[in-house]
Each structure stands twice: as structure tokens, then as C-alpha cells.
Amino acid sequence: MYPAETTEVAATGTAKTGSGKLLGGVLTAGADAATATIYDNTAASGKVLRTVKAAANASAGLEVPACGIRFGTGLHVVLAGTGPKLYLEFT
């Protein structure tokens, strides 16, 4: 078993390159509503693993099964909104 990593994503980009398992996350919105789309890729294309939305000045959990979600290429995150942050946990 691999130890989990946690990272903060504050701008659109690749959070991890290579295979692994998405274990969970939390999206925190800024002054307006926020959306985070997570792809199994190193770019904003391909298979969408999850999309999460949070109301302005609120947080929303990323719904992931207890066993996690496997990805093969990487975790690429597209953030929309003013000042959102996505906290991801993965192996």
C-alpha cells in the first residue's frame, strides 16, 4: 500500500502525473461559486473523474467511493470561480 498524498490546487493544472487512486477532496469557493473538474489526464481533456461545485464562501466535499477512483495518466484539475481552492488526497 502506498502512503496518501494531499495537495492544494489553487489554479488550473496537473496535480499528479502517472497512475494512482483518487481518495477524496474538498473544494472551497471564494467570493463567488466555484467548480472543479478533475480529469484522468495531464490536460483538460479525456475522462472526467469527478466534478464538484461549491456555493460562494462555502465548501463542498468530493464524492468518492470508499475504495477510491483509479486513474492511469494523471490528475488534471480545471478550476472556475474567484479564488477557489481544491484540496485533493490521492496515492
Side-chain angles (χ1 to χ4, degrees):
M1 176 178 243
Y2 299 101
E5 296 179 49
T6 303
T7 192
E8 176 185 299
V9 179
T12 294
T14 301
K16 177 180 171 70
T17 300
S19 63
K21 189 184 289 188
L22 177 61
L23 302 173
V26 175
L27 174 65
T28 301
D32 61 355
T35 303
T37 304
I38 304 166
Y39 294 88
D40 179 358
N41 207 341
T42 55
S45 61
K47 182 179 179 181
V48 174
L49 298 176
R50 285 292 185 265
T51 298
V52 61
K53 296 180 180 189
N57 300 309
S59 296
L62 185 63
E63 295 184 19
V64 175
C67 61
I69 300 171
R70 292 194 181 278
F71 56 91
T73 304
L75 287 177
H76 188 83
V77 178
V78 175
L79 291 175
T82 303
K85 291 185 180 174
L86 178 64
Y87 302 90
L88 286 176
E89 184 175 12
F90 52 85
T91 59

Coordinates of all heavy atoms in Angstrom, one line a residue:
M1 N 0.8 -1.2 0.0 CA 0.0 0.0 0.0 C 0.9 1.2 0.0 O 1.9 1.3 0.7 CB -0.9 0.0 1.2 CG -1.8 1.2 1.4 SD -2.9 1.1 2.8 CE -4.4 1.2 1.9
Y2 N 0.5 2.2 -0.8 CA 1.3 3.5 -0.9 C 0.7 4.5 0.1 O -0.5 4.6 0.2 CB 1.2 4.0 -2.3 CG 1.8 3.1 -3.3 CD1 1.0 2.3 -4.1 CD2 3.2 3.0 -3.5 CE1 1.6 1.4 -5.1 CE2 3.8 2.2 -4.4 CZ 2.9 1.4 -5.2 OH 3.5 0.5 -6.1
P3 N 1.5 5.3 0.7 CA 1.0 6.4 1.5 C 0.3 7.4 0.7 O 0.6 7.7 -0.4 CB 2.2 7.0 2.2 CG 3.4 6.6 1.3 CD 3.0 5.3 0.6
A4 N -0.8 8.0 1.3 CA -1.6 9.0 0.6 C -0.8 10.4 0.6 O -0.1 10.7 1.5 CB -2.9 9.2 1.3
E5 N -1.0 11.1 -0.5 CA -0.5 12.5 -0.6 C -1.7 13.4 -0.5 O -2.8 13.1 -1.0 CB 0.2 12.7 -1.9 CG 1.4 11.8 -2.1 CD 2.0 12.1 -3.5 OE1 2.2 13.3 -3.9 OE2 2.3 11.1 -4.2
T6 N -1.5 14.6 0.0 CA -2.5 15.7 0.0 C -1.9 16.9 -0.6 O -0.7 17.2 -0.4 CB -3.0 16.0 1.4 OG1 -3.5 14.8 2.0 CG2 -4.1 17.0 1.4
T7 N -2.6 17.5 -1.6 CA -2.1 18.7 -2.2 C -3.2 19.8 -2.3 O -4.4 19.4 -2.4 CB -1.5 18.4 -3.6 OG1 -0.8 19.5 -4.1 CG2 -2.6 18.0 -4.6
E8 N -2.8 21.0 -2.3 CA -3.7 22.1 -2.6 C -3.6 22.6 -4.0 O -2.5 22.9 -4.4 CB -3.4 23.3 -1.6 CG -4.3 24.5 -1.8 CD -3.9 25.7 -1.0 OE1 -3.9 25.5 0.3 OE2 -3.5 26.7 -1.5
V9 N -4.7 22.7 -4.7 CA -4.7 23.2 -6.1 C -5.4 24.5 -6.1 O -6.6 24.6 -5.7 CB -5.4 22.2 -7.0 CG1 -5.4 22.7 -8.4 CG2 -4.8 20.8 -6.9
A10 N -4.7 25.6 -6.4 CA -5.3 26.9 -6.4 C -5.4 27.5 -7.8 O -5.9 28.6 -8.0 CB -4.4 27.9 -5.5
A11 N -5.0 26.8 -8.8 CA -5.1 27.2 -10.2 C -5.2 26.0 -11.1 O -4.8 24.9 -10.7 CB -3.9 28.0 -10.6
T12 N -5.8 26.1 -12.3 CA -6.0 25.0 -13.2 C -4.6 24.5 -13.5 O -3.6 25.2 -13.7 CB -6.6 25.5 -14.5 OG1 -8.0 25.9 -14.2 CG2 -6.6 24.5 -15.6
G13 N -4.5 23.1 -13.4 CA -3.2 22.5 -13.7 C -3.2 21.0 -13.3 O -4.2 20.5 -12.9
T14 N -2.0 20.4 -13.5 CA -1.9 19.0 -13.2 C -1.4 18.8 -11.8 O -0.4 19.3 -11.4 CB -0.9 18.3 -14.2 OG1 -1.4 18.5 -15.5 CG2 -0.7 16.8 -13.9
A15 N -2.2 18.1 -11.0 CA -1.9 17.8 -9.6 C -0.9 16.6 -9.4 O -0.2 16.6 -8.5 CB -3.1 17.6 -8.8
K16 N -1.0 15.7 -10.4 CA -0.2 14.5 -10.3 C -0.1 13.9 -11.7 O -1.0 13.9 -12.5 CB -0.8 13.4 -9.4 CG 0.0 12.1 -9.4 CD -0.6 11.1 -8.5 CE 0.0 9.7 -8.6 NZ 1.3 9.6 -8.1
T17 N 1.1 13.5 -12.0 CA 1.4 12.8 -13.3 C 1.6 11.3 -13.0 O 2.3 11.0 -12.0 CB 2.6 13.4 -14.0 OG1 2.4 14.7 -14.2 CG2 2.9 12.7 -15.3
G18 N 1.0 10.4 -13.8 CA 1.2 9.0 -13.6 C -0.1 8.4 -12.9 O -1.1 9.1 -12.7
S19 N 0.0 7.1 -12.7 CA -1.2 6.4 -12.2 C -1.3 6.5 -10.7 O -0.4 6.9 -10.0 CB -1.2 4.9 -12.6 OG 0.0 4.3 -12.0
G20 N -2.5 6.2 -10.2 CA -2.8 6.3 -8.7 C -4.2 6.1 -8.5 O -5.0 5.6 -9.3
K21 N -4.6 6.5 -7.3 CA -6.0 6.4 -6.8 C -6.4 7.7 -6.2 O -5.8 8.2 -5.2 CB -6.1 5.2 -5.9 CG -7.6 4.9 -5.5 CD -7.7 3.8 -4.5 CE -7.3 2.5 -5.1 NZ -7.5 1.4 -4.1
L22 N -7.5 8.3 -6.7 CA -8.1 9.5 -6.0 C -8.9 9.0 -4.8 O -9.8 8.2 -4.9 CB -9.0 10.2 -7.1 CG -9.8 11.4 -6.6 CD1 -8.8 12.5 -6.1 CD2 -10.7 11.9 -7.7
L23 N -8.6 9.6 -3.7 CA -9.2 9.1 -2.4 C -10.2 10.1 -1.9 O -11.1 9.7 -1.1 CB -8.1 8.9 -1.3 CG -7.1 7.9 -1.7 CD1 -6.0 7.9 -0.7 CD2 -7.7 6.5 -1.9
G24 N -10.1 11.4 -2.2 CA -11.1 12.4 -1.8 C -10.6 13.8 -2.0 O -9.6 14.0 -2.6
G25 N -11.4 14.7 -1.5 CA -11.1 16.1 -1.7 C -12.2 17.0 -1.2 O -13.3 16.6 -0.9
V26 N -11.8 18.3 -1.1 CA -12.7 19.4 -0.7 C -12.5 20.6 -1.5 O -11.3 21.0 -1.7 CB -12.5 19.7 0.8 CG1 -13.4 20.9 1.2 CG2 -12.8 18.5 1.7
L27 N -13.6 21.2 -2.1 CA -13.5 22.4 -2.8 C -14.0 23.5 -2.0 O -15.1 23.5 -1.4 CB -14.3 22.3 -4.1 CG -14.5 23.6 -4.9 CD1 -13.1 24.0 -5.5 CD2 -15.5 23.4 -6.0
T28 N -13.2 24.6 -1.8 CA -13.6 25.8 -1.1 C -13.7 26.9 -2.1 O -12.7 27.3 -2.8 CB -12.5 26.1 0.0 OG1 -12.4 25.0 0.9 CG2 -12.9 27.3 0.8
A29 N -14.9 27.5 -2.1 CA -15.1 28.6 -3.0 C -14.7 30.0 -2.4 O -14.7 30.1 -1.2 CB -16.6 28.7 -3.4
G30 N -14.4 30.9 -3.3 CA -14.1 32.3 -2.8 C -15.3 33.1 -2.8 O -16.4 32.7 -2.3
A31 N -15.2 34.3 -3.4 CA -16.3 35.3 -3.4 C -17.5 34.9 -4.2 O -18.6 35.5 -4.0 CB -15.7 36.7 -3.8
D32 N -17.3 34.0 -5.1 CA -18.5 33.5 -5.9 C -18.4 32.0 -6.0 O -17.5 31.4 -5.5 CB -18.5 34.2 -7.3 CG -17.3 33.9 -8.2 OD1 -16.3 33.2 -7.7 OD2 -17.3 34.3 -9.3
A33 N -19.4 31.4 -6.6 CA -19.5 30.0 -6.7 C -18.3 29.4 -7.5 O -17.7 30.1 -8.3 CB -20.8 29.5 -7.4
A34 N -17.9 28.2 -7.1 CA -16.7 27.6 -7.7 C -17.1 26.2 -8.3 O -18.0 25.5 -7.7 CB -15.6 27.5 -6.7
T35 N -16.3 25.8 -9.3 CA -16.5 24.5 -9.9 C -15.1 23.9 -10.1 O -14.2 24.6 -10.6 CB -17.2 24.5 -11.2 OG1 -18.5 25.1 -11.0 CG2 -17.4 23.1 -11.8
A36 N -14.9 22.6 -9.8 CA -13.7 21.9 -10.1 C -14.0 20.7 -10.9 O -14.9 19.9 -10.5 CB -12.9 21.5 -8.8
T37 N -13.3 20.5 -12.0 CA -13.5 19.3 -12.8 C -12.1 18.6 -12.8 O -11.1 19.2 -13.1 CB -13.9 19.7 -14.3 OG1 -15.1 20.4 -14.2 CG2 -14.1 18.4 -15.1
I38 N -12.2 17.3 -12.5 CA -10.9 16.5 -12.4 C -10.9 15.5 -13.5 O -11.8 14.7 -13.7 CB -10.9 15.8 -11.0 CG1 -11.0 16.9 -9.9 CG2 -9.6 15.0 -10.9 CD1 -11.3 16.3 -8.6
Y39 N -9.8 15.5 -14.3 CA -9.6 14.6 -15.4 C -8.6 13.6 -15.1 O -7.6 13.8 -14.4 CB -9.2 15.4 -16.7 CG -10.2 16.4 -17.2 CD1 -10.2 17.7 -16.7 CD2 -11.0 16.0 -18.2 CE1 -11.1 18.6 -17.2 CE2 -12.0 16.9 -18.7 CZ -12.0 18.2 -18.2 OH -12.9 19.1 -18.7
D40 N -8.7 12.4 -15.7 CA -7.6 11.4 -15.7 C -6.8 11.7 -17.0 O -7.0 11.1 -18.1 CB -8.2 10.0 -15.9 CG -7.1 8.9 -15.9 OD1 -5.9 9.2 -15.9 OD2 -7.5 7.7 -16.0
N41 N -5.9 12.7 -16.8 CA -5.1 13.2 -17.9 C -4.1 14.2 -17.3 O -4.1 14.5 -16.2 CB -6.0 13.8 -19.0 CG -5.3 13.8 -20.3 OD1 -4.1 13.5 -20.5 ND2 -6.1 14.0 -21.4
T42 N -3.2 14.7 -18.2 CA -2.4 15.8 -17.8 C -2.8 17.1 -18.6 O -2.0 18.0 -18.6 CB -0.9 15.5 -18.1 OG1 -0.8 15.1 -19.5 CG2 -0.4 14.3 -17.3
A43 N -4.0 17.0 -19.1 CA -4.6 18.2 -19.8 C -6.1 18.2 -19.6 O -6.6 17.2 -19.1 CB -4.3 18.1 -21.3
A44 N -6.8 19.2 -19.9 CA -8.2 19.3 -19.7 C -9.0 18.6 -20.8 O -9.8 19.2 -21.5 CB -8.6 20.8 -19.6
S45 N -8.8 17.4 -20.9 CA -9.5 16.5 -21.9 C -9.5 15.1 -21.4 O -8.7 14.8 -20.5 CB -8.8 16.7 -23.3 OG -7.5 16.2 -23.2
G46 N -10.2 14.3 -22.1 CA -10.2 12.9 -21.7 C -11.3 12.5 -20.7 O -12.3 13.2 -20.7
K47 N -11.1 11.5 -19.9 CA -12.1 11.0 -19.0 C -12.2 12.0 -17.8 O -11.2 12.3 -17.1 CB -11.7 9.6 -18.5 CG -12.7 9.0 -17.6 CD -12.3 7.6 -17.1 CE -13.3 7.1 -16.2 NZ -13.0 5.8 -15.7
V48 N -13.4 12.4 -17.5 CA -13.7 13.2 -16.3 C -14.0 12.2 -15.2 O -14.8 11.3 -15.2 CB -15.0 14.1 -16.5 CG1 -15.4 14.8 -15.2 CG2 -14.7 15.1 -17.6
L49 N -13.2 12.4 -14.1 CA -13.3 11.5 -12.9 C -14.4 12.0 -12.0 O -15.2 11.2 -11.5 CB -12.0 11.4 -12.2 CG -10.8 10.8 -12.9 CD1 -9.6 10.9 -12.1 CD2 -11.1 9.4 -13.3
R50 N -14.4 13.3 -11.8 CA -15.4 13.9 -10.9 C -15.5 15.4 -11.2 O -14.6 16.1 -11.6 CB -15.0 13.8 -9.4 CG -15.2 12.4 -8.8 CD -16.7 12.1 -8.8 NE -17.0 10.9 -8.1 CZ -17.2 9.7 -8.7 NH1 -17.1 9.6 -10.0 NH2 -17.5 8.6 -8.0
T51 N -16.7 16.0 -10.9 CA -16.9 17.4 -10.9 C -17.6 17.8 -9.6 O -18.5 17.0 -9.2 CB -17.9 17.8 -12.1 OG1 -17.2 17.5 -13.3 CG2 -18.1 19.3 -12.1
V52 N -17.1 18.8 -9.0 CA -17.7 19.3 -7.7 C -17.9 20.8 -7.8 O -17.2 21.5 -8.4 CB -16.8 18.9 -6.5 CG1 -15.4 19.6 -6.6 CG2 -17.4 19.2 -5.2
K53 N -19.1 21.2 -7.2 CA -19.4 22.6 -7.1 C -19.6 23.1 -5.7 O -20.1 22.3 -4.9 CB -20.7 22.8 -7.9 CG -20.6 22.5 -9.4 CD -21.8 22.7 -10.1 CE -21.6 22.4 -11.6 NZ -22.8 22.8 -12.4
A54 N -19.2 24.3 -5.4 CA -19.4 24.9 -4.1 C -20.0 26.3 -4.2 O -19.6 27.0 -5.1 CB -18.1 24.9 -3.3
A55 N -21.0 26.6 -3.4 CA -21.5 27.9 -3.4 C -20.5 29.0 -2.9 O -19.5 28.6 -2.3 CB -22.8 28.0 -2.5
A56 N -20.8 30.2 -3.1 CA -19.9 31.3 -2.7 C -19.6 31.2 -1.2 O -20.5 30.9 -0.4 CB -20.5 32.6 -3.0
N57 N -18.3 31.3 -0.9 CA -17.9 31.3 0.5 C -18.2 30.0 1.3 O -18.5 30.1 2.5 CB -18.4 32.5 1.3 CG -17.9 33.8 0.7 OD1 -16.7 34.0 0.4 ND2 -18.8 34.7 0.3
A58 N -18.3 28.9 0.6 CA -18.7 27.7 1.2 C -17.7 26.6 0.7 O -16.9 26.8 -0.2 CB -20.1 27.3 0.8
S59 N -17.8 25.4 1.3 CA -17.0 24.2 0.8 C -17.9 23.1 0.5 O -19.1 23.0 0.9 CB -16.1 23.8 2.0 OG -15.2 24.8 2.3
A60 N -17.4 22.2 -0.4 CA -18.2 21.0 -0.8 C -17.2 19.8 -0.9 O -16.1 20.0 -1.5 CB -18.9 21.2 -2.1
G61 N -17.6 18.7 -0.4 CA -16.8 17.5 -0.5 C -16.9 16.8 -1.8 O -17.9 16.9 -2.5
L62 N -15.8 16.2 -2.2 CA -15.7 15.5 -3.5 C -16.2 14.1 -3.2 O -15.6 13.4 -2.3 CB -14.2 15.4 -3.9 CG -13.9 14.8 -5.2 CD1 -14.6 15.6 -6.4 CD2 -12.4 14.8 -5.5
E63 N -17.3 13.7 -3.8 CA -17.8 12.4 -3.6 C -17.0 11.3 -4.3 O -17.0 11.2 -5.5 CB -19.3 12.3 -4.0 CG -20.2 13.3 -3.2 CD -21.6 13.2 -3.5 OE1 -22.0 12.2 -4.2 OE2 -22.4 14.1 -3.2
V64 N -16.4 10.4 -3.5 CA -15.5 9.4 -4.0 C -15.9 8.1 -3.2 O -16.0 8.1 -2.0 CB -14.0 9.7 -3.7 CG1 -13.1 8.6 -4.2 CG2 -13.7 11.0 -4.5
P65 N -16.0 7.0 -3.9 CA -16.3 5.7 -3.2 C -15.2 5.4 -2.2 O -14.1 5.8 -2.3 CB -16.3 4.7 -4.3 CG -16.4 5.4 -5.6 CD -15.9 6.8 -5.3
A66 N -15.5 4.6 -1.2 CA -14.6 4.3 -0.1 C -13.3 3.6 -0.7 O -12.2 3.8 -0.1 CB -15.2 3.4 0.9
C67 N -13.4 2.9 -1.8 CA -12.3 2.3 -2.4 C -11.5 3.2 -3.3 O -10.4 2.8 -3.8 CB -12.7 1.0 -3.2 SG -13.8 1.4 -4.5
G68 N -11.9 4.4 -3.5 CA -11.2 5.4 -4.3 C -11.6 5.2 -5.8 O -12.3 4.4 -6.2
I69 N -11.0 6.1 -6.6 CA -11.1 6.0 -8.1 C -9.8 5.9 -8.7 O -8.9 6.8 -8.5 CB -11.9 7.3 -8.6 CG1 -13.2 7.5 -7.9 CG2 -12.0 7.3 -10.1 CD1 -13.9 8.8 -8.2
R70 N -9.5 4.9 -9.4 CA -8.2 4.7 -10.1 C -8.1 5.6 -11.3 O -9.1 5.8 -12.0 CB -8.1 3.2 -10.5 CG -7.9 2.3 -9.4 CD -7.4 0.9 -9.8 NE -7.3 0.0 -8.7 CZ -6.3 0.0 -7.8 NH1 -5.3 0.8 -8.0 NH2 -6.3 -0.9 -6.8
F71 N -6.9 6.1 -11.5 CA -6.6 6.9 -12.7 C -5.3 6.4 -13.3 O -4.4 5.9 -12.5 CB -6.6 8.4 -12.4 CG -5.6 8.8 -11.3 CD1 -4.3 9.2 -11.6 CD2 -6.0 8.9 -10.0 CE1 -3.4 9.6 -10.6 CE2 -5.2 9.3 -9.0 CZ -3.9 9.6 -9.3
G72 N -5.1 6.5 -14.6 CA -3.9 6.0 -15.2 C -2.9 7.0 -15.7 O -1.7 6.7 -15.7
T73 N -3.4 8.1 -16.2 CA -2.5 9.1 -16.8 C -2.0 10.2 -15.8 O -0.9 10.6 -15.8 CB -3.2 9.7 -18.0 OG1 -3.6 8.7 -18.9 CG2 -2.3 10.7 -18.8
G74 N -2.9 10.7 -15.0 CA -2.6 11.7 -14.1 C -3.9 12.4 -13.5 O -5.0 11.9 -13.9
L75 N -3.8 13.4 -12.7 CA -4.9 14.2 -12.2 C -4.7 15.6 -12.7 O -3.8 16.3 -12.2 CB -5.0 14.1 -10.7 CG -5.4 12.9 -10.0 CD1 -5.3 13.0 -8.5 CD2 -6.8 12.5 -10.4
H76 N -5.6 16.0 -13.6 CA -5.6 17.4 -14.1 C -6.9 18.0 -13.6 O -8.0 17.5 -13.7 CB -5.5 17.4 -15.6 CG -5.3 18.8 -16.1 ND1 -4.1 19.4 -16.2 CD2 -6.2 19.8 -16.5 CE1 -4.2 20.6 -16.7 NE2 -5.5 20.9 -16.9
V77 N -6.7 19.2 -13.0 CA -7.8 20.0 -12.4 C -8.1 21.3 -13.1 O -7.2 22.0 -13.4 CB -7.6 20.3 -10.9 CG1 -8.7 21.0 -10.3 CG2 -7.3 19.0 -10.1
V78 N -9.4 21.5 -13.5 CA -9.8 22.8 -14.0 C -10.7 23.5 -13.0 O -11.7 22.9 -12.6 CB -10.6 22.6 -15.4 CG1 -11.1 23.9 -15.9 CG2 -9.7 21.9 -16.4
L79 N -10.2 24.6 -12.5 CA -10.9 25.4 -11.5 C -11.6 26.6 -12.2 O -11.1 27.2 -13.0 CB -10.0 25.9 -10.5 CG -9.4 24.9 -9.5 CD1 -8.4 25.5 -8.6 CD2 -10.5 24.2 -8.7
A80 N -12.9 26.9 -11.8 CA -13.6 28.1 -12.2 C -14.1 28.8 -11.0 O -14.6 28.1 -10.0 CB -14.7 27.7 -13.1
G81 N -14.1 30.1 -11.0 CA -14.6 30.9 -9.9 C -13.5 31.9 -9.5 O -12.4 31.9 -10.1
T82 N -13.8 32.7 -8.5 CA -12.9 33.7 -8.0 C -12.2 33.1 -6.7 O -12.9 33.0 -5.7 CB -13.6 35.0 -7.6 OG1 -14.2 35.4 -8.8 CG2 -12.6 36.0 -7.2
G83 N -10.9 32.8 -6.8 CA -10.2 32.3 -5.6 C -10.5 31.0 -5.1 O -10.4 30.7 -3.9
P84 N -11.0 30.0 -5.9 CA -11.3 28.7 -5.3 C -10.0 27.9 -5.0 O -8.9 28.2 -5.6 CB -12.0 28.0 -6.4 CG -11.4 28.5 -7.7 CD -11.2 30.0 -7.3
K85 N -10.1 27.0 -4.1 CA -9.0 26.1 -3.7 C -9.6 24.7 -3.6 O -10.6 24.4 -3.0 CB -8.3 26.4 -2.4 CG -7.6 27.7 -2.5 CD -6.8 28.0 -1.3 CE -6.1 29.3 -1.4 NZ -5.4 29.8 -0.2
L86 N -8.9 23.7 -4.2 CA -9.3 22.3 -4.1 C -8.2 21.5 -3.4 O -7.0 21.6 -3.8 CB -9.5 21.7 -5.5 CG -9.8 20.2 -5.6 CD1 -11.2 20.0 -5.0 CD2 -9.8 19.7 -7.1
Y87 N -8.6 20.9 -2.4 CA -7.6 20.0 -1.6 C -7.9 18.6 -2.0 O -9.0 18.1 -1.9 CB -7.8 20.2 -0.1 CG -7.7 21.7 0.3 CD1 -8.7 22.6 0.3 CD2 -6.4 22.1 0.7 CE1 -8.6 23.9 0.7 CE2 -6.2 23.5 1.0 CZ -7.3 24.3 1.0 OH -7.1 25.7 1.4
L88 N -6.9 17.9 -2.6 CA -7.0 16.6 -3.1 C -6.2 15.6 -2.2 O -5.1 15.9 -1.8 CB -6.5 16.4 -4.5 CG -7.4 17.1 -5.6 CD1 -6.7 16.9 -6.9 CD2 -8.8 16.4 -5.6
E89 N -6.7 14.4 -2.1 CA -6.0 13.3 -1.4 C -5.9 12.2 -2.4 O -6.9 11.8 -3.0 CB -6.6 12.8 -0.1 CG -5.8 11.8 0.6 CD -6.4 11.4 1.9 OE1 -7.5 11.7 2.2 OE2 -5.7 10.7 2.6
F90 N -4.7 11.6 -2.7 CA -4.5 10.6 -3.7 C -3.3 9.8 -3.3 O -2.5 10.1 -2.5 CB -4.4 11.2 -5.1 CG -3.4 12.2 -5.2 CD1 -2.0 11.9 -5.4 CD2 -3.7 13.6 -5.1 CE1 -1.1 12.9 -5.5 CE2 -2.7 14.6 -5.2 CZ -1.4 14.2 -5.4
T91 N -3.1 8.6 -4.0 CA -1.9 7.8 -3.8 C -1.1 7.9 -5.1 O -1.7 8.3 -6.2 CB -2.2 6.3 -3.6 OG1 -3.0 5.8 -4.7 CG2 -3.0 6.2 -2.3

